Amino acid sequence: MIGRLNHLAIAVPDLEAAAATYRGVLGAKVSEAVPQPDHGVTVIFVELPNTKIELLHPLGDNSPIAAFLQKNAAGGIHHICYEVDDILAARDTLKAEGKRVLGDGEPKIGAHGKPVLFLHPKDFNGALVELEQA
Ligand SMILES: CC[C@H](C(=O)O)C(=O)SCCNC(=O)CCNC(=O)[C@H](O)C(C)(C)COP(=O)(O)OP(=O)(O)OC[C@H]1O[C@@H](n2cnc3c(N)ncnc32)[C@H](O)[C@@H]1OP(=O)(O)O
Ligand SMILES: [Co+2]
């Protein structure tokens, strides 16, 4: 089912400061900040040779990452995103196996313009998992 690692996401208290660190001392190629109101975050992508780092900051009043940042004031690794060939088939298989799909279970369009879903961290060894349609 799961394929490539699409990205690893880090929730950060200061998006531009985090971007400056990756662009500066770490010498990475870093995107501009892109608001994603449907997801309650603003994102910046750090391009790596073999994957991407997604820097996340809350956007709006009901951000799903607000509580995470309250608990982790300096920031922290937030989720891991795997690619799947068929996100609806993956969802149905996971649900049949008793894994919790977050939200209403319908994929939303993510930062790369592809459908994404999230799986409850408690079902995946404490790691919040995002699936993105390859
Ligand atoms: C533009 C889209 C972009 C993309 O890549 O395309 C994105 O990635 S958008 C990313 C932001 N969106 C989401 O994260 C959506 C899915 N997340 C959620 O629905 C929530 O964050 C949720 C339900 C995972 C947690 O929400 P919240 O923290 O408000 O709930 P609780 O405090 O009740 O937490 C429940 C339980 O889970 C633990 N937890 C929370 N977040 C994480 C995490 N990131 N990794 C691991 N564990 C997490 C939390 O500590 C609670 O555990 P407990 O032992 O009960 O304290
Ligand atoms: Co993501």
Side-chain angles (χ1 to χ4, degrees):
M1 176 189 290
I2 63 173
R4 290 170 4 110
L5 170 66
N6 182 276
H7 62 270
L8 185 70
I10 303 173
V12 298
D14 181 332
L15 198 53
E16 289 304 332
T21 299
Y22 276 86
R23 191 182 295 118
V25 66
L26 294 177
K29 182 169 173 274
V30 178
S31 78
E32 294 303 314
V34 179
Q36 295 282 351
D38 285 356
H39 293 270
V41 293
T42 301
V43 305
I44 284 179
F45 276 96
V46 178
E47 299 292 332
L48 303 180
N50 63 333
T51 189
K52 293 183 276 294
I53 303 299
E54 182 181 55
L55 303 175
L56 293 172
H57 187 73
L59 175 66
D61 298 335
N62 300 309
S63 173
I65 71 167
F68 181 91
L69 266 180
Q70 277 157 12
K71 289 179 196 163
N72 304 276
I77 292 175
H78 184 261
H79 65 267
I80 188 163
C81 181
Y82 304 115
E83 293 179 5
V84 291
D85 287 335
D86 181 337
I87 198 165
L88 295 178
R91 175 201 60 190
D92 295 345
T93 300
L94 287 157
K95 285 174 76 169
E97 294 286 323
K99 303 302 185 189
R100 288 166 283 186
V101 178
L102 297 173
D104 65 5
E106 290 309 312
K108 286 202 286 192
I109 299 302
H112 299 123
K114 303 278 187 69
V116 299
L117 280 172
F118 288 87
L119 308 175
H120 202 288
K122 296 297 183 199
D123 296 335
F124 292 90
N125 307 107
L128 176 61
V129 171
E130 177 181 11
L131 301 180
E132 179 174 311
Q133 175 77 40

